[in-house]
Amino acid sequence: MAYLTALLVSFGCMLLIDRRFGLFLFRDPLRAALVLAAGLIFFLAWDLAAISLGIFLHGPAPYMTGIMLAPELPLEELVFLLFLSHLTMVLVLGFQRLFSRGEA
């Protein structure tokens, strides 16, 4: 449960940063949701392909919930993939805004 909690707290902090600066989700919610869905689908397909090839395996982990969405696919992976996609967009749009101010 500790890992899921850490992911959710990190995701919450990233949402606060996103809201404060209006970078992604709070700038255009519909477009952001579509981008997050596309990122989630891409990375989930990547994970499932790696699982089917025996590359990704889920071992015993004391800090995880133990909730499996599919064989070798824990709940925490889904939350991590959403967090990763959101973090990436906040970073990209944040740096874009930061560096575009210097050009104006």
Side-chain angles (χ1 to χ4, degrees):
M1 197 67 178
Y3 180 51
L4 181 59
T5 301
L7 282 172
L8 291 174
V9 167
S10 299
F11 206 152
C13 291
M14 192 55 51
L15 284 169
L16 289 174
I17 292 169
D18 185 3
R19 185 171 191 274
R20 164 65 178 90
F21 296 102
L23 296 170
F24 180 55
L25 197 56
F26 295 93
R27 182 171 162 192
D28 189 346
L30 180 59
R31 184 182 297 177
L34 292 173
V35 170
L36 284 177
L40 179 63
I41 290 167
F42 174 79
F43 286 121
L44 200 52
W46 180 311
D47 279 3
L48 292 174
I51 289 168
S52 71
L53 294 171
I55 297 170
F56 289 175
L57 300 172
H58 180 267
Y63 302 112
M64 300 191 48
T65 62
I67 299 170
M68 302 299 284
L69 302 175
E72 308 296 332
L73 185 66
L75 170 66
E76 290 84 356
E77 184 68 10
L78 184 70
V79 176
F80 172 74
L81 294 176
L82 279 172
F83 171 71
L84 178 66
S85 297
H86 185 244
L87 171 66
T88 301
M89 291 310 301
V90 167
L91 287 173
V92 167
L93 294 172
F95 278 114
Q96 182 182 19
R97 183 179 292 176
L98 182 67
F99 291 121
S100 69
R101 287 185 180 172
E103 296 174 9

